[in-house]
Amino acid sequence: MNPITRWWRRVRPVRLRPVDPVTCALRRGLERDLNDGPAQRVAALSVELGLLSVDLPDNPALAGRIDQLRCSLDTVLAELREIGGALYPPVLASDGFEPALHAVAERHGVALAVSGDPVDRDTADAACLAVVDHLRSVPRDTRLDVRVRRGLGSVWVDITEERLCG
């Protein structure tokens, strides 16, 4: 295999599916619902179990069982938050496009560089969600270069993937 072919297999442009504003709003709402509903109830149950273990007489078997249940609830809470973050990264609402992409890339173990033109909030949300959806399919040993370009009433998000090893 010649060096150009080898390079092309390591570095390639990516085409994303666009995310419309209605989908952005729906995903943000679902993330909030998960966080404000089930996730809060699971956290409250974990606290209640902790209080219950303090109030119980000294019973090591029961205390061990309560600790196991609290660990299980902590796992469920982490899973709910992961699902919510996959729908709509919470950092996107608070800090914006670039910090949200970096947070998701870090969680997935992917190297990321972001550059480009500033865009309005709705466009940034849609672009971020498209990149986040793509990030889920990227192997850990990959570097993504994300560039946002504006022009003539359109916005382009260019992504270049580079496999860092192999």
Side-chain angles (χ1 to χ4, degrees):
M1 175 179 337
N2 68 44
I4 298 296
T5 304
R6 207 172 312 125
W7 175 84
W8 178 250
R9 288 184 181 201
R10 286 184 48 221
V11 178
R12 67 181 180 99
V14 176
R15 182 154 177 91
L16 301 177
R17 271 186 328 138
V19 179
D20 63 87
V22 173
T23 301
C24 289
L26 176 65
R27 287 172 65 161
R28 185 174 187 182
L30 286 172
E31 186 276 329
R32 280 188 187 154
D33 290 347
L34 269 177
N35 187 53
D36 294 345
Q40 291 300 321
R41 286 192 294 281
V42 169
L45 284 173
S46 183
V47 169
E48 286 291 324
L49 279 174
L51 294 172
L52 181 64
S53 69
V54 170
D55 291 342
L56 288 176
D58 192 25
N59 183 337
L62 191 54
R65 183 68 183 129
I66 288 174
D67 284 343
Q68 287 175 340
L69 289 171
R70 287 186 72 199
C71 286
S72 294
L73 285 173
D74 289 345
T75 300
V76 169
L77 183 58
E79 289 171 352
L80 284 170
R81 288 186 173 145
E82 182 67 28
I83 291 167
L87 287 170
Y88 189 93
V91 176
L92 180 57
S94 61
D95 298 343
F97 177 75
E98 189 169 344
L101 286 182
H102 282 290
V104 173
E106 184 178 313
R107 196 167 52 245
H108 287 283
V110 173
L112 179 74
V114 180
S115 64
D117 303 328
V119 293
D120 65 88
R121 179 64 183 235
D122 289 339
T123 303
D125 285 0
C128 183
L129 293 178
V131 175
V132 164
D133 289 347
H134 177 71
L135 267 170
R136 283 193 230 121
S137 66
V138 173
R140 285 189 164 289
D141 60 345
T142 303
R143 174 182 169 77
L144 290 184
D145 288 310
V146 177
R147 183 165 183 265
V148 178
R149 297 181 294 127
R150 286 187 331 192
L152 299 177
S154 296
V155 174
W156 292 273
V157 178
D158 299 320
I159 297 179
T160 304
E161 285 183 10
E162 181 178 1
R163 295 294 304 265
L164 297 176
C165 59

